[in-house]
Amino acid sequence: MDALFSPDRMTTPTSADAPATLQLKRVAIDTYRENVAYLHRDCAIYRAEGFQALSKVEVQANGFRILATLNVVDDPCIVGPDELGLSEDAFAQMGVPAGHDARIAHAEPPGSIPALHRKIAGERLSHGDFRAIVRDIAEHRYSKIELTAFVVACHQGELDREEVYYLSEAMASVGRRLDWHDHPVVDKHCIGGIPGNRTSMLVVPIVAAHGILCPKTSSRAITSPAGTADTMEVLANVEPPFDRLMEIVREHHACLAWGGTSDLSPADDVLISVERPLSIDSPGQMVASILSKKVAAGSTHLLLDIPVGPTAKVRSMPEAQRLRRLFEFVAQRLGLTIDVVITDGRQPIGRGIGPVLEARDVMWVLQNDPRGPDDLRLKALRLAGRMLEFDADVRGGDGFAIARDILESGRALEKMQAIIAAQGRRAFDPDQPELSPLSFEVTAATSGVVCELDNLQLARIARLAGAPKVAGAGVDLLKKLGERVEAGEALYRVHAAYPADQGFARQEAQRHVGVRLGAELDASAFSLET
Amino acid sequence: MDALFSPDRMTTPTSADAPATLQLKRVAIDTYRENVAYLHRDCAIYRAEGFQALSKVEVQANGFRILATLNVVDDPCIVGPDELGLSEDAFAQMGVPAGHDARIAHAEPPGSIPALHRKIAGERLSHGDFRAIVRDIAEHRYSKIELTAFVVACHQGELDREEVYYLSEAMASVGRRLDWHDHPVVDKHCIGGIPGNRTSMLVVPIVAAHGILCPKTSSRAITSPAGTADTMEVLANVEPPFDRLMEIVREHHACLAWGGTSDLSPADDVLISVERPLSIDSPGQMVASILSKKVAAGSTHLLLDIPVGPTAKVRSMPEAQRLRRLFEFVAQRLGLTIDVVITDGRQPIGRGIGPVLEARDVMWVLQNDPRGPDDLRLKALRLAGRMLEFDADVRGGDGFAIARDILESGRALEKMQAIIAAQGRRAFDPDQPELSPLSFEVTAATSGVVCELDNLQLARIARLAGAPKVAGAGVDLLKKLGERVEAGEALYRVHAAYPADQGFARQEAQRHVGVRLGAELDASAFSLET
């Protein structure tokens, strides 16, 4: 049995005095997404509480509270001994004026840390474990070190498919969830890695013209030359306030907006801030990230496009099939109807790589202009067709023809014009697009057939040329796979606005053109689903 | 064949202008081991270079350079548009006066990042990979995110033993390496987790009295109630300048100092800053950390003590044997002679837990005082005996007797007094140790035999009481395993200096005493090597 205290020796420990308050001060340092609190070394509360530099602290004022990392200051000009300084972001989050009373205390350690340690040790976690971890992450309780440990531990250990479901469900549960009061609500997502692949801007008007709700929010490019939001921004405002977006969707069945302000999957945003610097993109985390966002956005049906090719994100058919099965498994458990399409990722889609160039391609296709790239048109019809089949009244296999009819009749263009007008039209003429004026061409030194196009390299050149920050910059691809070129013919044209950008793009193209010519195209391409 | 440029279109890209200089300014913010540089948002260089907040930058002044993270500032009182601010640590590292000209530029990304990604992906790394990664880590080129990714990837993936050797060798290669111009140079290390285990302070004087060089540097406690440096500091100054330490070792064959200023394994210090918050202590990293430090310290022979017990760091004999084999494998390849001893870790060694209490135990043993704890004395003689056998002139098995003779004859005490005097004596009387005055006893509620002592819990109580920051605080253990107690007899006594500390310690002891009584001690203890 346990040894016990002799009762007559027990006295109550003295309780600590309630913390006094300090005056909030805005410290004009941009610490970029990390909340920092500043206390002067001589501050009485700093000394009493036994904080250490870099302690996690909780700051409370006027009923609000935030978590922050503590920095200790020796200069009263930055923060005085009776003040509580907050970095720019932190001060903005607090939403309380300078001079207001504030309290500071040790932050509770996140409750999910034991679960984190078990995952670091390679153990399988329960649904409850993932919920606890994701909740702490969404509430900014995890330090960068803890976030990174979680991401790497999940990546290496390879979450099994049940765990991927737990993680996805946990991520979908924090933050907002939209409800469109309609059914079906269809969405589309492409795994990525293919420049110019702006099929969303064709698929959404086609599907909406048919009458299915398709409220599409997209991201801006992080590492690519253009995201859907960047290209759409050439045609219309992509950041209308959220309430306005809801109205637009109610009226037109669709929108094509930037998803940045929605706060739909706050844990995802935090995790991405460490996944990206590490270039970590494991299947489990990819599925959780994408599906949690779609569920939070209120989608009931999702069309997922997985391009496969030697320079795409997914490099082989077996890898694509594994990914597809994982998406299907998790989506089914989340109550999301999913249709996965594996597509050709061997080259960029369309001609343009960069916002204005891609907007030109999209408008040409909508206008049924013969200059509209065929591969972009056909891929969009194929995907739109599959999405139309989410409508119970559309028979399996009929989708493509209905989509083509909507496009060729001009109803898709009409719908796009309506969306553009509703979000806020920007002047754009696909016959006279505002391309950046400094250009150079990359030409073939010999004759031959285009055998290989390097997606990564062409994207890299387009970015060096300035895309997407410079909307009119990028690469205009003049020859696609299988096309014959003569010596001296242009393969692609690069547009830039600044000499430095043009120089860097040219240097990179000289280093590695990204186009390989040969006698003929190797016809043993993988077979794709139709 | 690759498509080629048409040569007549090539022009040289314009090169960027050489960066102008800014004036260094010390920004009095303690950012705790992270170098931060501050630029004003209107600074011309900030705008031209396209830095982003949190970019890694390189700051150069007067031939020195450091790496830092950039924070952008909007308050000219903190830093003006023609100034380059550095946080406290960074400014100190720069070693250049305020107002001096300085340049700032993007930092080169660390060259070892591809290798880091391969390890994150679960691949085996080469010796060259580890060298590149460790060099970048030692030069502070890795962000916290990258450091954490490396630590977690190595932990989960379980480095194989060759990789552990590569990592150890890479860590030993950066930073200083000491050369004592003598042979052998013996060292001792205990894996840890056992409170009161101050055998080093007995072993070192014994071995040095025999004539073997034993320059022992130790750490201060991070999570335990006392490290060897904390306990030695009760008796003598543990921070003499490095040159003085070298003199002391030359004259007395030994020292017992704090290792903090040696800079022996800079990569280890950086790695520990992320391992510790995550409580990561994998075998591979443990071996690399310990052996790299010993090699850097110039040791040729190492005695490694691995205590095993239910509340020790190593919990089972099979785990201890695996660890032993890994240490032996790596040490052999590093050219370090190692002797691993597996010892009893079921309870604290000695009576005192806390600096003054442990110093008392040590001095009692050195003085051959009968109050000196037997287990501390016997363990020290056993370990010292093994170390004496590193001397080629000592026959295998004779070490214990020689060690005992050195102790009983008073030569060990004499040597300790010499070391203490050389480092700088502090007044201490083991018969009247300066123990913290607020004390309470934990007594047995019933009679019985002590069956279990919880190392972790007793250490926790000692820390709450104030050890090691308050040198006179801690736990004085009055009954050990197998000893019989009567109802009402004291099991241990807790010393504290402040009422709050006493209160917290008492609360913790009430929650869980850390001592279990029973009818008899379970005799099925594991067999230990002798």
Side-chain angles (χ1 to χ4, degrees), chain A residues 28-322:
Chain A
I29 297 180
D30 179 353
T31 51
Y32 195 65
R33 294 257 179 106
E34 182 160 12
N35 291 344
V36 180
Y38 300 90
L39 288 182
H40 195 280
R41 202 179 290 280
D42 292 334
C43 169
I45 293 175
Y46 166 69
R47 304 172 78 143
E49 286 288 315
F51 292 126
Q52 312 232 334
L54 291 205
S55 294
K56 270 254 162 174
V57 293
E58 187 175 283
V59 176
Q60 299 170 30
N62 205 28
F64 297 100
R65 69 173 185 86
I66 61 166
L67 294 178
T69 299
L70 182 66
N71 279 181
V72 179
V73 177
D74 288 287
D75 180 352
C77 294
I78 299 175
V79 83
D82 54 352
E83 291 178 310
L84 198 168
L86 290 177
S87 61
E88 296 276 30
D89 279 343
F91 190 82
Q93 279 179 51
M94 208 67 206
V96 161
H100 201 286
D101 280 348
R103 292 174 190 277
I104 185 167
H106 287 277
E108 292 279 320
S112 63
I113 290 298
L116 171 64
H117 284 154
R118 279 185 279 116
K119 179 46 84 181
I120 293 172
E123 289 181 41
R124 192 175 183 278
L125 297 187
S126 69
H127 200 160
D129 288 334
F130 279 105
R131 280 203 177 118
I133 290 174
V134 168
R135 199 166 33 239
D136 280 336
I137 288 175
E139 289 177 11
H140 299 278
R141 290 189 177 280
Y142 267 35
S143 66
K144 279 202 175 51
I145 290 177
E146 289 154 349
L147 279 173
T148 305
F150 178 65
V151 161
V152 175
C154 287
H155 175 77
Q156 258 211 354
E158 266 187 57
L159 303 178
D160 64 47
R161 59 185 204 171
E162 289 281 351
E163 287 183 294
V164 177
Y165 161 60
Y166 299 154
L167 176 62
S168 308
E169 193 280 334
M171 286 171 67
S173 305
V174 298
R176 254 187 218 215
R177 187 174 299 209
L178 303 181
D179 187 346
W180 298 96
H181 307 295
D182 202 339
H183 188 92
V185 176
V186 310
D187 206 335
K188 175 200 163 288
H189 185 89
C190 176
I191 294 296
I194 308 300
N197 188 25
R198 296 284 82 83
T199 48
S200 290
M201 290 171 68
L202 296 165
V203 159
V204 165
I206 290 171
V207 166
H210 178 79
I212 301 177
L213 214 70
C214 192
K216 184 97 189 71
T217 53
S218 306
S219 46
R220 294 188 182 285
I222 318 274
T223 53
S224 74
T228 297
D230 301 302
T231 301
M232 185 61 186
E233 196 168 44
V234 174
L235 305 174
N237 173 28
V238 294
E239 297 187 27
F242 188 70
D243 294 336
R244 175 71 190 125
L245 268 184
M246 303 278 289
E247 278 176 19
I248 294 172
V249 171
R250 262 192 294 272
E251 187 179 347
H252 300 286
H253 289 119
C255 65
L256 274 156
W258 177 53
T261 50
S262 316
D263 197 30
L264 288 175
S265 192
D268 191 45
D269 298 333
V270 177
L271 286 168
I272 280 176
S273 76
V274 302
E275 285 165 355
R276 191 150 284 135
L278 290 172
S279 304
I280 277 187
D281 209 358
S282 51
Q285 284 159 339
M286 190 194 297
V287 170
S289 172
I290 292 167
L291 294 185
S292 67
K293 273 201 143 88
K294 298 311 181 187
V295 166
S299 304
T300 61
H301 292 68
L302 174 67
L303 185 85
L304 186 75
D305 170 17
I306 303 182
V308 181
T311 55
K313 223 187 230 187
V314 178
R315 300 282 164 106
S316 73
M317 191 55 96
E319 191 188 338
Q321 298 284 24
R322 275 194 302 272

Side-chain angles (χ1 to χ4, degrees), chain A residues 1 3-6 9-10 28 30 72 74 88 117 119-120 145 148 156 278 443 491 506 510 513 517, chain B residues 1 3-6 9-10 28 30 72 74 88 117 119-120 145 148 156-157 278 443 506 510 513 517:
Chain A
M1 70 197 73
L4 296 176
F5 262 112
S6 184
R9 298 251 186 181
M10 266 160 47
D30 179 353
V72 179
D74 288 287
E88 296 276 30
H117 284 154
K119 179 46 84 181
I120 293 172
I145 290 177
T148 305
Q156 258 211 354
L278 290 172
T443 59
L491 296 163
R506 194 198 296 273
Q510 273 172 288
V513 177
L517 303 177
Chain B
M1 69 199 73
L4 297 176
F5 261 112
S6 187
R9 298 253 188 177
M10 270 163 43
D30 178 354
V72 179
D74 288 288
E88 296 274 31
H117 284 154
K119 181 46 86 181
I120 292 172
I145 289 176
T148 307
Q156 258 212 354
L278 291 171
T443 59
R506 196 198 295 273
Q510 273 171 286
V513 177
L517 303 178

Side-chain angles (χ1 to χ4, degrees), chain B residues 303-495:
Chain B
L303 185 85
L304 187 74
D305 169 16
I306 303 181
V308 181
T311 55
K313 222 186 229 185
V314 178
R315 300 286 164 102
S316 73
M317 191 54 97
E319 190 188 339
Q321 297 285 24
R322 273 194 302 273
L323 198 52
R324 170 169 122 169
R325 282 192 290 272
L326 184 58
F327 267 106
E328 287 170 347
F329 177 90
V330 177
Q332 201 257 344
R333 271 156 190 67
L334 290 173
L336 183 65
T337 304
I338 193 171
D339 190 8
V340 180
V341 184
I342 298 176
T343 61
D344 184 351
R346 288 173 301 160
Q347 59 178 340
I349 301 292
R351 267 184 56 186
I353 303 173
V356 169
L357 287 160
E358 293 172 18
R360 175 202 67 188
D361 287 357
V362 164
M363 291 312 291
W364 275 343
V365 171
L366 283 172
Q367 290 170 351
N368 295 303
D369 189 311
R371 291 170 295 177
D374 254 343
D375 61 341
L376 176 61
R377 191 179 70 92
L378 282 168
K379 183 172 182 181
L381 288 180
R382 184 175 159 215
L383 298 182
R386 297 289 281 254
M387 288 171 80
L388 291 175
E389 288 172 29
F390 285 146
D391 177 356
D393 294 333
V394 174
R395 284 169 36 141
D398 285 358
F400 183 92
I402 297 173
R404 186 182 54 202
D405 185 58
I406 292 173
L407 177 64
E408 289 178 353
S409 67
R411 275 147 59 217
L413 175 64
E414 199 181 317
K415 175 60 73 180
M416 182 59 137
Q417 309 280 34
I419 294 170
I420 285 172
Q423 289 182 197
R425 182 179 150 75
R426 297 199 170 164
F428 181 77
D429 177 0
D431 296 326
Q432 303 206 319
E434 285 178 34
L435 293 172
S436 297
L438 301 179
S439 69
F440 64 89
E441 288 186 349
V442 173
T443 59
T446 68
S447 309
V449 171
V450 177
C451 285
E452 246 177 60
L453 283 170
D454 187 334
N455 287 312
L456 295 167
Q457 186 61 8
L458 294 168
R460 190 173 294 133
I461 291 168
R463 271 194 74 96
L464 286 167
K469 218 162 45 158
V470 180
V475 170
D476 201 356
L477 198 50
L478 303 168
K479 295 286 181 183
K480 301 289 288 278
L481 281 179
E483 290 183 37
R484 183 162 181 79
V485 306
E486 298 305 321
E489 253 195 290
L491 296 163
Y492 57 85
R493 191 177 302 124
V494 180
H495 294 266

Side-chain angles (χ1 to χ4, degrees), chain A residues 337-376:
Chain A
T337 305
I338 194 170
D339 189 9
V340 180
V341 183
I342 298 176
T343 61
D344 185 348
R346 289 174 301 161
Q347 59 178 341
I349 301 293
R351 268 184 55 185
I353 304 174
V356 169
L357 288 159
E358 293 173 15
R360 174 203 66 187
D361 287 357
V362 163
M363 289 313 291
W364 274 344
V365 171
L366 284 172
Q367 292 171 351
N368 296 303
D369 188 310
R371 290 171 295 180
D374 253 345
D375 61 343
L376 176 62

Side-chain angles (χ1 to χ4, degrees), chain A residues 434-453:
Chain A
E434 287 179 32
L435 292 172
S436 298
L438 301 180
S439 68
F440 64 89
E441 285 184 353
V442 173
T443 59
T446 68
S447 310
V449 171
V450 177
C451 285
E452 248 176 60
L453 283 170

